[in-house]
Amino acid sequence: MEYKRTARVELRLTLEEKDMLVKRANQCDKTVAQYIRELCLKDTIVTKTDIQTVIELKRIGNNLNQIAKQINTIPQDDIIRNYMKDIDSILEQITLISKKIL
């Protein structure tokens, strides 16, 4: 259910501050009103860039998983085991970054 917003808040800014506010709202693909509401009333603002970053991180994670599966099909020696540990570490870092962003 959509609530009708009737309360108004007046805010005085310099022209430079207003330009910065409009620019930041545009970068998040939001109106100035949406940007201010989210900034003030929510814990975080999820930007279009954040979502694109998470999508790209997931693609990288998928690629690393495919590489790991291929490596697991060949006989392993110490060097390959070390590579597998590195890949696991990178996958964990991708997961942590994705969770922080969203």
Side-chain angles (χ1 to χ4, degrees):
M1 182 169 133
E2 189 71 24
Y3 294 101
K4 187 172 183 180
R5 294 183 171 100
T6 57
R8 295 180 60 96
V9 174
E10 186 174 328
L11 174 67
R12 293 184 184 271
L13 301 170
T14 65
L15 287 175
E16 292 83 15
E17 290 171 331
K18 180 184 175 198
D19 290 343
M20 189 183 321
L21 180 62
V22 170
K23 181 180 176 185
R24 288 183 180 179
N26 289 336
Q27 287 173 340
C28 294
D29 200 27
K30 300 187 182 308
T31 66
V32 172
Q34 289 170 325
Y35 181 77
I36 291 172
R37 268 195 301 274
E38 286 187 28
L39 190 61
C40 294
L41 302 176
K42 293 185 178 181
D43 292 336
T44 59
I45 293 179
V46 178
T47 66
K48 190 175 179 181
T49 304
D50 291 340
I51 294 169
Q52 291 171 337
T53 302
V54 169
I55 291 169
E56 190 60 32
L57 285 171
K58 287 182 179 183
R59 286 184 185 139
I60 292 169
N62 287 337
N63 290 342
L64 285 172
N65 277 329
Q66 291 172 1
I67 292 168
K69 286 178 185 177
Q70 285 290 352
I71 290 174
N72 282 329
T73 62
I74 57 177
Q76 293 189 3
D77 61 11
D78 290 337
I79 295 172
I80 293 175
R81 282 191 195 97
N82 288 336
Y83 285 137
M84 290 301 296
K85 288 178 186 175
D86 291 343
I87 289 173
D88 287 338
S89 173
I90 293 169
L91 286 171
E92 287 176 20
Q93 290 174 12
I94 289 172
T95 301
L96 289 173
I97 292 169
S98 296
K99 287 179 181 177
K100 286 181 182 178
I101 291 174
L102 295 178

